[in-house]
Amino acid sequence: MNAKDSFKLLVRNLKLCPTLETTITPKLVNEIWDCMRDIKLQKGDEVTPAMLVALILHDEESFAELLTAAQLDQLHIVAGQAMQQYELAIKPKNQVGQLLAATIKESEKL
């Protein structure tokens, strides 16, 4: 593969790299969390599924009985996956840089 072919391959691969356009930021997380903390349930207000999930994850000892062991495991798996996606959203891996490094390394072999 010559330099021109390497460059074409690089450009083609760069076009395949998704651009990271996320609206999820640490600032947004803090703002929404503050809003959630300000919610004061009044008598007659309905508890939402989001509230229950937060309570179960926050205080498993008190609220885990609402789920079976398998359901609790699934909830932890989903929460872990959400955390991984959040970490990726706020600290994206440099896919372009990795692609450039791999292409340069490949072209050096030639």
Side-chain angles (χ1 to χ4, degrees), residues 13-102:
N13 286 334
L14 286 173
K15 287 180 180 179
L16 295 175
C17 288
T19 57
L20 186 66
E21 294 180 19
T22 182
T23 57
I24 298 174
T25 64
K27 181 181 177 193
L28 177 65
V29 169
N30 287 328
E31 289 172 0
I32 300 300
W33 186 253
D34 287 343
C35 289
M36 286 179 58
R37 287 190 342 197
D38 289 341
I39 295 172
K40 305 285 188 238
L41 291 178
Q42 303 297 320
K43 188 174 183 175
D45 287 350
E46 291 193 26
V47 174
T48 66
M51 290 175 180
L52 284 176
V53 168
L55 288 169
I56 292 167
L57 290 172
H58 178 72
D59 189 354
E60 207 171 292
E61 192 173 299
S62 298
F63 295 97
E65 68 186 53
L66 296 172
L67 301 175
T68 66
Q71 291 169 329
L72 189 58
D73 287 343
Q74 288 175 342
L75 182 60
H76 283 283
I77 289 169
V78 170
Q81 290 170 340
M83 189 66 193
Q84 288 175 346
Q85 293 297 343
Y86 170 72
E87 290 291 329
L88 187 59
I90 65 168
K91 299 178 206 164
K93 294 179 180 174
N94 188 344
Q95 293 176 337
V96 174
Q98 291 172 349
L99 182 58
L100 284 170

